[in-house]
Amino acid sequence: MSGTGSSPMSTIAPSGSGRGTGKSTNFTPELQSMMFSLGDARRPLHESAVLVEDILHTQLIHLLQQASEVSQMRGARVISAEDLIFLMRKDKKKLRRLLKYMFFRDYKSKVVKGIEEDDLLEDRLSSSSTNKRQKIAQDFLISIDQTGELLGLLEDDEIDDVKLERMERAERQARMMDSAQYAEFCESRQLSFSKKASKFRDWLDCSSMEIKPNAVAMEILAYLAYETVAQMHVLGQATSLKTSPDSPESTPPPTPTPPAAGPQHLGKAPSGSMGNGSIGQDSSKAKQRKRKKSSAACGAEAQSDAIQPSHIREAIRRYGHKIGPLSPYTSAYRRNGMTFLAC
């Protein structure tokens, strides 16, 4: 939980993320599945997933530190949703997305409770508790909003271009899948940090914090963690397109000229005359070698489609130099060499 100044972009080792607790908790397998569901290769590179995990852990630790400072200024004993909303208040697009997520969580709780409860009166009495996330957000925004812009986000029905692009990319990705691949793809899309709540809390080492996040804050952190992975994937994929096989720098070499026949082939019949000699055997061996080379090339091509660690590092470097809606409230994080991705 130390605020180290080293950037995880410079190394894949987790030392830059502040994970000095000696715990072996990691999300690398889950992150590989998430990366696949977000458009990466079917088998994302382990090195890329480790780097994504390192950057993600670093960002969440710094976010928790800032939320803890806000909580102390409010005189609260826990990190709550209000502290995280306050940190996101300047990026209205991402704040609107978070508010919609909180609305969805309330709606899901209400549906589950309605299925489990047969008594309508009891459901009405408990309706206030099922809308607790919306009420928390609305009450806090009323207390800090002076212009009405933030409160307007609660009623904003503008189409989310990021979510729309994500759904379109998933649809394109699923077009060429067979039934087994599609089942794996659907399972990967259902993965989230909130479904691994206990492991997620251990991964962030919340037990060692003086001011701990409450349940709703952990839900928001899990949501922001997934959004950060999605943002890193978009940035990494955009960077990888510049080094795709279709680029001029990666054009294939010219067709080589056939080698001259060696001394051992002098006086032999042409390759088209297949007799009982060694030419037929050489041709069979050559075909086997071609098949092996073809399969190796397919494997290399599949691996080349995966996002490389270098793509992620370069994408984060470029993102950190941008001047955008994140810059007014990420100056503390800029001193550590990075900017927040999801908030």
Side-chain angles (χ1 to χ4, degrees):
M1 301 248 336
S2 62
T4 178
S6 60
S7 171
M9 293 182 291
S10 60
T11 177
I12 295 180
S15 59
S17 63
R19 278 178 284 178
T21 59
K23 293 186 178 181
S24 59
T25 305
N26 70 83
F27 272 94
T28 305
E30 291 87 350
L31 283 170
Q32 286 180 290
S33 295
M34 291 180 191
M35 291 166 66
F36 166 54
S37 70
L38 291 166
D40 203 345
R42 191 180 181 190
R43 297 290 181 265
L45 296 179
H46 180 267
E47 295 83 359
S48 298
V50 170
L51 180 59
V52 167
E53 181 181 14
D54 190 29
I55 296 173
L56 175 62
H57 189 271
T58 302
Q59 297 223 336
L60 291 179
I61 290 299
H62 281 272
L63 179 62
L64 277 171
Q65 289 175 348
Q66 292 191 9
S68 177
E69 293 173 2
V70 175
S71 178
Q72 287 179 328
M73 287 189 293
R74 293 194 306 117
R77 296 183 178 180
V78 296
I79 297 173
S80 60
E82 292 91 332
D83 304 313
L84 297 172
I85 292 174
F86 180 80
L87 291 175
M88 297 184 66
R89 71 194 185 282
K90 303 227 174 173
D91 193 331
K92 295 180 178 60
K93 287 186 176 180
K94 293 181 179 179
L95 179 58
R96 181 178 65 240
R97 198 175 302 142
L98 173 62
L99 295 175
K100 286 184 177 180
Y101 171 76
M102 297 176 74
F103 169 80
F104 170 77
R105 293 287 299 186
D106 280 341
Y107 181 77
K108 181 179 178 181
S109 299
K110 189 182 297 185
V111 170
V112 172
K113 188 175 287 293
I115 294 174
E116 294 176 350
E117 294 178 356
D118 296 327
D119 191 351
L120 183 60
L121 178 61
E122 185 178 357
D123 184 62
R124 287 178 180 174
L125 292 174
S126 62
S127 61
S128 61
S129 63
T130 56
N131 290 327
K132 63 179 181 179
R133 298 171 187 84
Q134 298 177 68
K135 190 174 187 308
I136 290 172
Q138 185 173 12
D139 292 346
F140 181 69
L141 291 178
I142 290 174
S143 67
I144 67 170
D145 193 9
Q146 303 294 326
T147 63
E149 290 181 293
L150 299 179
L151 284 172
L153 298 177
L154 295 170
E155 306 296 333
D156 193 352
D157 294 329
E158 182 182 346
I159 296 176
D160 192 335
D161 294 335
V162 173
K163 295 290 185 181
L164 182 61
E165 192 276 334
R166 198 178 297 176
M167 288 189 291
E168 290 176 350
R169 184 172 64 246
E171 194 276 331
R172 291 193 301 268
Q173 190 176 358
R175 286 178 185 174
M176 304 301 294
M177 293 181 180
D178 56 27
S179 57
Q181 291 172 344
Y182 186 70
E184 181 183 357
F185 180 64
C186 292
E187 185 177 355
S188 298
R189 292 192 68 188
Q190 296 175 23
L191 273 176
S192 66
F193 293 93
S194 59
K195 290 186 176 180
K196 306 268 187 177
S198 178
K199 181 179 179 180
F200 185 61
R201 186 177 285 271
D202 291 340
W203 184 62
L204 295 177
D205 197 22
C206 293
S207 60
S208 65
M209 299 177 61
E210 295 182 5
I211 302 179
K212 300 177 176 58
N214 61 15
V216 179
M218 288 302 300
E219 286 181 1
I220 295 176
L221 286 169
Y223 163 78
L224 293 177
Y226 186 86
E227 288 296 305
T228 302
V229 175
Q231 180 76 356
M232 273 192 280
H233 170 268
V234 171
L235 296 173
Q237 190 177 49
T239 305
S240 67
L241 291 177
K242 302 201 178 283
T243 56
S244 64
D246 296 331
S247 62
E249 293 82 1
S250 303
T251 52
T255 305
T257 56
Q264 66 273 17
H265 295 296
L266 295 176
K268 297 291 183 180
S271 59
S273 59
M274 298 294 293
N276 293 328
S278 61
I279 296 180
Q281 296 176 359
D282 292 341
S283 177
S284 176
K285 291 180 180 179
K287 288 181 179 180
Q288 291 179 359
R289 286 194 296 268
K290 286 182 179 179
R291 282 195 293 267
K292 290 181 180 179
K293 289 181 180 179
S294 176
S295 60
C298 291
E301 182 179 358
Q303 188 175 11
S304 66
D305 292 339
I307 295 178
Q308 307 289 324
S310 59
H311 299 153
I312 299 172
R313 291 192 183 96
E314 176 61 16
I316 298 298
R317 186 191 67 80
R318 295 179 185 179
Y319 188 84
H321 285 80
K322 284 185 178 180
I323 299 175
L326 300 177
S327 55
Y329 66 105
T330 54
S331 57
Y333 207 11
R334 284 186 187 278
R335 287 197 296 270
N336 290 327
M338 293 179 62
T339 55
F340 284 117
L341 291 168
C343 60

